[in-house]
Amino acid sequence: MTSSHSSHSTGLNNPSDSSLTAQSGELEPQIIPPSHPDESTIPQDSNERNILPNAGIRGPITDNFDFEAGINLPDGITWFELPLAVRIRENVDIEEFNNNSILKTIGVKNTPAPRPIDMDIGLPLKPLYYHADDEVCDLIDSEALCTLFAPLPATLLREVVSGRALLKKGTGIELQASRDKTREANGSICSRLLGSMEMSHPVEQSLGEARE
């Protein structure tokens, strides 16, 4: 007589069942499934363990590392479908992120070798959003517009201040001609990335306050 539950629940013969033993002549061996070791207990290769995620190399970072790659800005994004207010707000955040990353990279660069094995550079820099030339011209013309969009990212603010300074220095004719030509193109001309990155947080005053 077979066990009331073992043959159905496990699919194996009951070792104590004499009738089954007599019929088969021997006990069916119990199959034990292979165990899978916990992946967290598997020792990792030392090379993989020492890879710095931002630098992409095995630590420590040496003096011949290409630090410039972690400081130079990537090409900008020409998504003019995004409203100007959105691009301005995004660029303020991107500038702060990039400044913090550049600060960390320069800190590693200026740390004398040998550096700690786990010392890593800053996160990869993010691209800024481009502004069209006519958008910059409108900001140069209008203090109220600058206040409306404040705070402006530092790169854009420098461009606006520079444009107004040109007007005050008597070069307004050339600047006005350039602006008129830009507007005739219906804003399709893409400006360069406005200025270079500064190792400071974006200016948070309105343009009028920043000039005082």
Side-chain angles (χ1 to χ4, degrees):
M1 179 177 180
T2 60
S3 171
S4 62
H5 62 275
S6 62
S7 63
H8 294 286
S9 61
T10 64
L12 300 176
N13 291 330
N14 189 336
S16 62
D17 193 326
S18 58
S19 61
L20 287 180
T21 302
Q23 294 176 6
S24 60
E26 61 180 5
L27 294 175
E28 182 179 345
Q30 185 178 3
I31 301 176
I32 301 176
S35 60
H36 298 283
D38 186 353
E39 294 182 358
S40 62
T41 63
I42 301 177
Q44 295 181 343
D45 184 85
S46 60
N47 291 339
E48 295 181 359
R49 221 173 30 238
N50 295 334
I51 292 294
L52 301 172
N54 299 339
I57 64 171
R58 181 183 178 187
I61 295 176
T62 59
D63 287 337
N64 62 355
F65 179 78
D66 183 14
F67 290 100
E68 294 302 317
I71 297 175
N72 296 329
L73 285 175
D75 292 336
I77 302 174
T78 55
W79 287 4
F80 295 113
E81 298 86 352
L82 290 178
L84 176 60
V86 173
R87 282 177 278 138
I88 286 177
R89 184 175 66 247
E90 288 295 314
N91 281 350
V92 168
D93 293 337
I94 291 171
E95 281 189 344
E96 182 175 4
F97 174 90
N98 287 346
N99 289 341
N100 291 332
S101 179
I102 291 172
L103 181 62
K104 184 175 181 181
T105 298
I106 291 179
V108 175
K109 180 180 180 180
N110 291 331
T111 300
R115 298 174 178 86
I117 195 170
D118 60 346
M119 178 177 279
D120 201 358
I121 63 172
L123 291 166
L125 301 183
K126 297 180 179 180
L128 291 166
Y129 290 92
Y130 277 112
H131 304 293
D133 287 342
D134 67 322
E135 293 172 333
V136 178
C137 291
D138 289 340
L139 292 170
I140 292 174
D141 286 340
S142 174
E143 179 75 23
L145 195 60
C146 291
T147 302
L148 176 65
F149 289 137
L152 299 180
T155 48
L156 178 57
L157 181 60
R158 283 203 311 273
E159 186 76 3
V160 171
V161 171
S162 176
R164 292 186 177 180
L166 289 176
L167 289 174
K168 288 184 177 181
K169 290 181 180 178
T171 57
I173 297 178
E174 293 83 357
L175 181 60
Q176 185 64 48
S178 175
R179 287 154 57 180
D180 291 342
K181 183 177 180 181
T182 298
R183 288 195 173 94
E184 289 175 2
N186 295 322
S188 62
I189 302 175
C190 177
S191 69
R192 59 182 172 83
L193 270 180
L194 305 175
S196 58
M197 285 298 296
E198 290 181 337
M199 292 305 298
S200 62
H201 292 290
V203 178
E204 296 189 358
Q205 299 94 341
S206 68
L207 184 61
E209 294 171 339
R211 289 188 297 167
E212 292 180 355

